[in-house]
Amino acid sequence: MTSSFPEEVLEHVLSFLTSQTDRNAVSLVCKTWYETDRWCRNRIFVGNCYAVNPRILIRRFPDVKSIELKGKPHFADFNLVPEGWGGYVYPWVVELARAYPSLEEIRLKRMVVTDESLEMVAKSFNNFKVLVLSSCEGFSTDGLAAIAANCRNLRVLDLRECEVEDLSGHWLSHFPDSFTSLESLNMACLVSEVSFSALERLVARSPNLKTLKLNRTVPLEKLSTLLKRAPQLVDFGTGAYSAEFRPDVYSSLAGVFSACKNLKSLSGFWDVTPAYLPVINNVCSQLTSLNLSYATTQSPDLTKIVSQCCNLQRLVVLDYIEDTGLNTVSLSCKDLRELVVFPSDPFIGDVDVQLTEHGLVAVSEGCSKLHSILYFCRQMSNSALIQISKNCPNLTCFRLCIIEPRAPDYQTLEPLDTGFGSIVQNCQHLTRLSMSGLLTDRVFEYIGTYAKNLDMLSIAFAGDSDLGLHYVLSGCDRLRKLEIRDCPFGDKALLANASKLERMRSLWMSSCLVSFGACKLLGRKMPGLNVEVIDERENVNSIPEYAPVEKVYIYRTVSGQRFDAPDFVRIMGKDKDAVYNLS
Amino acid sequence: MTSSKTIVLRSSDGATFEVDEAVALHSLMIKHRIETGGADSTTIDVPEVTGNTLSKVIEYCKKHVEAPNSDDLKSFDTDFVKVDQAVLCHLAKASYYMNIKGLLDLSSKTIADMFKGKTVEQIRETFHIKNDFTPEEEEELRKENSWNLFV
C-alpha cells in the first residue's frame, strides 16, 4: 500500500514532537524522514558527554538552538569520582561556537566549566538566552561577570549547587542598565555578597522576572525591598532567614508576601528564625513547591507551615520534621507528588530526631498522588516497605537511604529483600530505584524479574555474589544507568552480560570485585564501549591482572576512546591510536 | 462587515462547493487568489485537494469563521480530527496547500501524537512508509544513533 503521508507537512509535524526518543524513531523511518529530522531538530540532549563528540553532533544536526550535556557519573555527588577525571566543556564550546552562532541555550550537569568557556559563550552567541549549570565546577565569578556583561538577551542564569570560586559579588553589577530581559536568576550557591543596590535595580528593571533565588548573604531585613519590586515572582528563594524579631520588619515582610499573588514555590530559609516563618502563612495555600532543607528548626515550626500548604505537590525538608510532622503532611497535603527528607546529621550514628519509617508510611497512606520519594532515615522494616508499595502503586522514583550500611529490618533483623521485592512487584511504573540496608542476592532476583521499567538503579553494600549483578543485567530490559559500590560483584556476571552494556548509557562499579583482566577483556571485546579503570593507587602498574580494580566506569560511545583522561584513568583494551569513527 | 457574496471552490475531481466568501477567506491561499484574481474570481480551483477532503476543510472553516468564540470550539476541533490516519493526512496536506494555519496545526499535532512512544517499525506500518535503507545502512544509523537512542 502506498503512503499517503504528506511529506510537505513532516517538518511542521516534527515541531510538535519534542521527545528525543520519538525524534530518533522518526529519523529511522526512511531516508527523507532522516533528512527532514536532522535539519529541523534543534534541541539536543547528550546524556554522557563522552558518548559522542561535537564533530559527529554537528555533522548530523546543522541547526541547534538548545543543547544539554552531562559529564561526570552520578556517584560524583558522593565524592567517588576523583578530581581531574574529566567532563570538560571547553572543547564542546569551541566547536559549538563555530558551528552554531545562533545557539540560545546551554544546560550542563556535572561538568568542568572554566572562565575561559564562559567567556567564549558570552562572546560567541548573539542571541544567547539560557545558561543552566547544575553541579558544575571550575569557574569563578569572573566567568559570571563575562556572561552578565555580554549576553544582552539573557533570560535565565541558573546555578544549581555549583562549586564556584567566589572572588567577589561584583559580577552582578556587570549586567548593563539596558539589560531588562531577565526571567530567572538562581545564585543560591554563591557565597559572596553582591551589591544590594545593583541587585535591587536589576530586579526593578526586569518585568519578566519569575524566578529569583538569593544567596545566603542577602539579609532578611532587605527582603521586603526586593519583593516589593517583583510581586510577579513565581519562584522565590530567600537568603539567610534570621534576624532579631522586630514587629515592623515582620509586618512589612508579611505584607509583601501577601502581594505575591503568583508565588508558587519557596526555598532558602537558611538559619531560620522561627518567629519569622509565619510571614508566609498567607501564601502557603498557593504553594505547589516548598524547600525547607536549610530550615534548621524544630518539628512544631515546620509542621505549622506545612499544615497550611493544602496545594503542595513537592516538599523538601530535613528530618527535623519528624514523624509527627509527616503525619500532618499526610493529612494536609493531599496533592503531594514528591517527598524529599534529608538527614540533619548524616555522620552521627544516633540522633535525637524522631524520624522513622512511620513518617513515610503515613505520607504514603494519606497522599494518593505520591510518585517520587527520597528518604533518609535510620531504621526500616519489611512490613513498612510492603505497606508503602501497596499504598503507592504508581511510584516512579523510590530512593531509600538508611544511614547505617547493611542495616537489617530493625524488627525482625532479617534482610530487607522482601520489602524491596514488594516495591518492584507492586510499583510497575518504577523507573528509578536506590536501595540500602541489608540485602542479599534475593532482592536482585526480584528486581530482575519484576522491575521491567527500571531505568536507573543504585546499589551499595548489598548482595552476596555475582548472581546479584547477573539478575539485574539480564532481567531489567529498560535499564540504562547502573551504579554500584561496595558489592561482591565480579567478572563473571559482567562478561556474561557484555552485550547488555551496549544497550545502556553507563555502568559504574567501585570497591567491587572486578579485575583488571576482565576490564581489559571487555574493552577488547566490545569496541562500542569505553571501559575506564579509575585507580589512584601508586603501585597500580604492578598489581596483578586477577586483582580487583578500585573503580570501573563503562559507557557506550561512538566517539572512541578519549584523550583527555588523567594518569589514573586507563581506557582498557583499546589500541592507543585507534579511534572508532563512523564515516 | 460580512458580504453575502459566495465563492465556488472546485476540487481536483471536479466537485464544486459554494461557500460564503468570508468562510473561503479563512484559507490564505484563496484570499490571495481572490485579491490577485481577475474578472472571474468567483470559481477557484483547488487541484491539490479532492472533493471529500475539501468538503471537510470547508466544514472546519465554517465553524471557525461563523462561531470563533463558541465554547464548544475546542471539542469541535478534538472531534474533527477523530478520523482515520488517511483522512488525517489528507487534511494536513490540504491545510498546508490552502494555507489554513489553525487546521494545519491541529492536524499536524494530531499526527505527532500518533508518533509518540512508537517504534520505527510501528510508525512505518501506521503510515505505510517504505523503508528505503539497506540493512547495512540501517544498522550503521542505529549504532550512530545509540548515543542518543537510549538517552
Side-chain angles (χ1 to χ4, degrees):
Chain A
M1 196 198 256
T2 49
S3 167
S4 60
F5 193 91
E7 302 289 335
E8 310 89 332
V9 304
L10 181 59
E11 187 173 334
H12 198 66
V13 169
L14 292 183
S15 69
F16 295 104
L17 203 68
T18 47
S19 140
Q20 195 151 283
T21 313
D22 289 331
R23 293 292 291 251
N24 290 339
V26 159
S27 72
L28 289 175
V29 166
C30 67
K31 288 180 181 173
T32 37
W33 286 39
Y34 175 83
E35 285 298 309
T36 306
D37 168 70
R38 64 180 275 262
W39 282 97
C40 69
R41 197 185 309 193
N42 40 45
R43 304 192 74 90
I44 305 291
F45 170 73
V46 180
N48 173 4
C49 66
Y50 290 119
V52 70
N53 61 50
R55 194 175 31 85
I56 292 174
L57 182 80
I58 291 163
R59 188 180 64 205
R60 169 114 184 248
F61 300 111
D63 185 22
V64 174
K65 293 274 188 299
S66 161
I67 186 160
E68 184 176 348
L69 293 170
K70 291 189 176 181
K72 300 182 206 174
H74 173 243
F75 270 1
D77 290 354
F78 307 104
N79 297 318
L80 287 176
V81 178
E83 180 89 28
W85 170 83
Y88 306 105
V89 82
Y90 185 76
W92 282 88
V93 176
V94 169
E95 304 276 356
L96 294 173
R98 200 177 296 150
Y100 306 128
S102 25
L103 189 71
E104 296 178 359
E105 305 182 0
I106 294 177
R107 293 174 171 81
L108 305 175
K109 190 164 187 179
R110 293 193 199 95
M111 293 198 75
V112 177
V113 179
T114 56
D115 285 346
E116 216 183 344
S117 315
L118 290 176
E119 279 152 25
M120 186 167 271
V121 168
K123 304 255 168 75
S124 311
F125 307 112
N126 271 335
N127 202 21
F128 195 68
K129 294 189 174 133
V130 174
L131 184 65
V132 179
L133 303 177
S134 298
S135 304
C136 293
E137 40 143 356
F139 60 103
S140 78
T141 41
D142 285 352
L144 296 178
I147 296 285
N150 294 288
C151 300
R152 312 251 172 83
N153 297 309
L154 194 71
R155 295 196 188 155
V156 175
L157 179 59
D158 187 350
L159 308 171
R160 300 177 192 175
E161 287 161 63
C162 292
E163 270 179 48
V164 184
E165 194 192 344
D166 211 322
L167 302 170
S168 86
H170 194 59
W171 66 273
L172 189 93
S173 308
H174 283 257
F175 283 115
D177 291 339
S178 54
F179 172 69
T180 57
S181 52
L182 197 63
E183 293 176 12
S184 170
L185 176 63
N186 177 5
M187 42 180 263
C189 63
L190 298 179
V191 288
S192 286
E193 192 175 343
V194 299
S195 150
F196 185 78
S197 62
L199 176 61
E200 190 190 346
R201 285 196 314 272
L202 176 63
V203 170
R205 67 176 185 275
S206 305
N208 297 319
L209 192 68
K210 298 279 189 304
T211 299
L212 178 64
K213 295 186 181 171
L214 305 171
N215 73 355
R216 212 166 175 166
T217 64
V218 180
L220 185 146
E221 297 93 334
K222 295 232 168 99
L223 289 186
S224 303
T225 313
L226 276 181
L227 282 175
K228 262 190 209 129
R229 301 291 202 168
Q232 77 281 5
L233 282 181
V234 174
D235 189 350
F236 181 60
T238 75
Y241 206 72
S242 70
E244 220 180 278
F245 184 80
R246 279 175 44 191
D248 56 327
V249 173
Y250 180 96
S251 52
S252 171
L253 205 47
V256 293
F257 266 113
S258 300
C260 295
K261 300 293 181 200
N262 297 325
L263 199 61
K264 289 214 150 51
S265 172
L266 276 178
S267 57
F269 300 106
W270 281 280
D271 319 312
V272 68
T273 299
Y276 277 111
L277 272 177
V279 303
I280 66 169
N281 281 355
N282 284 339
V283 294
C284 279
S285 60
Q286 289 167 206
L287 296 179
T288 54
S289 172
L290 181 59
N291 186 335
L292 293 168
S293 59
Y294 292 109
T296 47
T297 187
Q298 301 310 308
S299 178
D301 301 313
L302 297 170
T303 305
K304 245 183 256 162
I305 294 296
V306 297
S307 66
Q308 297 172 80
C309 299
C310 52
N311 289 308
L312 204 62
Q313 295 179 17
R314 180 173 189 262
L315 175 64
V316 183
V317 72
L318 287 172
D319 55 7
Y320 287 138
I321 195 166
E322 298 192 333
D323 289 341
T324 47
L326 289 180
N327 201 46
T328 303
V329 169
S330 77
L331 296 169
S332 312
C333 310
K334 289 305 191 186
D335 212 16
L336 198 70
R337 322 276 165 103
E338 188 182 344
L339 176 69
V340 176
V341 179
F342 284 127
S344 47
D345 275 311
F347 303 111
I348 297 177
D350 222 340
V351 289
D352 191 22
V353 170
Q354 286 309 303
L355 182 102
T356 68
E357 80 281 13
H358 291 120
L360 185 56
V361 172
V363 178
S364 75
E365 249 158 51
C367 305
S368 60
K369 294 191 188 162
L370 193 64
H371 68 76
S372 175
I373 295 169
L374 169 54
Y375 199 76
F376 283 79
C377 58
R378 286 178 160 81
Q379 68 185 45
M380 187 49 62
S381 66
N382 281 310
S383 66
L385 286 171
I386 292 167
Q387 255 187 287
I388 292 164
S389 75
K390 291 197 173 132
N391 292 336
C392 297
N394 294 320
L395 270 185
T396 53
C397 169
F398 186 64
R399 293 153 77 189
L400 181 71
C401 304
I402 307 166
I403 300 214
E404 184 66 35
R406 301 194 184 92
D409 177 323
Y410 77 101
Q411 290 172 327
T412 64
L413 297 183
E414 283 175 358
L416 291 171
D417 298 339
T418 41
F420 279 104
S422 187
I423 294 280
V424 293
Q425 238 182 302
N426 290 334
C427 306
Q428 279 303 303
H429 306 290
L430 199 68
T431 51
R432 186 166 181 187
L433 176 65
S434 180
M435 304 190 294
S436 54
L438 183 64
L439 298 163
T440 72
D441 283 347
R442 201 74 203 282
V443 76
F444 299 110
E445 192 180 357
Y446 291 135
I447 292 173
T449 309
Y450 296 109
K452 291 308 182 186
N453 281 318
L454 202 61
D455 170 282
M456 181 171 179
L457 177 63
S458 312
I459 311 168
F461 302 100
D464 311 308
S465 75
D466 252 19
L467 213 45
L469 180 57
H470 178 70
Y471 284 136
V472 170
L473 288 176
S474 58
C476 297
D477 303 326
R478 293 222 163 135
L479 194 66
R480 287 181 310 112
K481 290 174 282 181
L482 179 58
E483 46 185 24
I484 304 170
R485 62 165 296 183
D486 295 277
C487 296
F489 299 152
D491 300 346
K492 200 155 155 236
L494 198 61
L495 294 172
N497 291 284
S499 58
K500 167 72 177 174
L501 299 177
E502 266 187 341
R503 294 193 302 279
M504 290 168 59
R505 185 196 294 178
S506 65
L507 166 63
W508 170 281
M509 294 178 72
S510 55
S511 307
C512 296
L513 299 173
V514 180
S515 70
F516 281 94
C519 291
K520 204 186 286 183
L521 190 57
L522 194 61
R524 255 194 225 128
K525 196 171 136 180
M526 312 292 292
L529 295 178
N530 272 356
V531 179
E532 292 193 9
V533 166
I534 302 165
D535 205 312
E536 292 177 283
R537 286 175 288 187
E538 271 175 27
N539 60 341
V540 72
N541 287 319
S542 51
I543 296 178
E545 291 238 320
Y546 57 79
V549 303
E550 268 186 352
K551 301 166 186 176
V552 62
Y553 180 47
I554 303 166
Y555 54 88
R556 178 180 59 218
T557 181
V558 294
S559 180
Q561 63 159 311
R562 62 183 177 108
F563 297 101
D564 63 353
D567 285 338
F568 58 80
V569 173
R570 293 150 78 203
I571 319 262
M572 306 296 280
K574 301 269 191 277
D575 198 344
K576 273 231 156 74
D577 300 321
V579 181
Y580 297 88
N581 256 334
L582 295 167
S583 57
Chain B
M1 197 165 61
T2 46
S3 88
S4 53
K5 190 176 169 202
T6 60
I7 301 278
V8 171
L9 301 179
R10 187 157 53 206
S11 70
S12 60
D13 44 358
T16 54
F17 302 86
E18 190 169 348
V19 294
D20 284 344
E21 189 185 42
V23 171
L25 291 177
H26 202 60
S27 153
L28 294 185
M29 178 273 265
I30 292 180
K31 182 168 190 277
H32 181 78
R33 291 265 187 90
I34 291 174
E35 283 167 359
T36 59
D40 182 18
S41 54
T42 53
T43 302
I44 297 192
D45 281 300
V46 194
E48 296 92 356
V49 188
T50 63
N52 283 336
T53 306
L54 190 54
S55 153
K56 273 212 76 111
V57 170
I58 290 166
E59 186 192 330
Y60 176 90
C61 294
K62 259 190 130 161
K63 180 74 179 185
H64 278 253
V65 169
E66 287 168 5
N69 301 313
S70 71
D71 292 326
D72 71 335
L73 200 62
K74 240 190 166 170
S75 58
F76 169 85
D77 280 357
T78 309
D79 291 338
F80 190 77
V81 284
K82 281 189 183 147
V83 291
D84 72 47
Q85 64 89 6
V87 175
L88 187 60
C89 289
H90 288 134
L91 278 174
K93 193 168 173 177
S95 64
Y96 174 84
Y97 281 111
M98 295 179 71
N99 202 341
I100 306 169
K101 186 173 191 319
L103 184 56
L104 178 62
D105 283 349
L106 177 63
S107 48
S108 299
K109 185 171 189 307
T110 309
I111 295 174
D113 287 343
M114 289 171 72
F115 288 157
K116 285 182 184 163
K118 286 207 165 66
T119 63
V120 181
E121 290 78 14
Q122 284 168 338
I123 296 174
R124 284 180 189 144
E125 216 189 287
T126 308
F127 293 96
H128 313 295
I129 316 265
K130 186 173 184 302
N131 174 13
D132 57 356
F133 291 116
T134 65
E136 294 78 31
E137 281 170 338
E138 198 165 342
E139 183 50 39
E140 185 79 2
L141 264 182
R142 277 186 201 268
K143 234 196 269 173
E144 190 186 286
N145 255 357
S146 67
W147 63 268
N148 74 7
L149 247 183
F150 307 104
V151 288

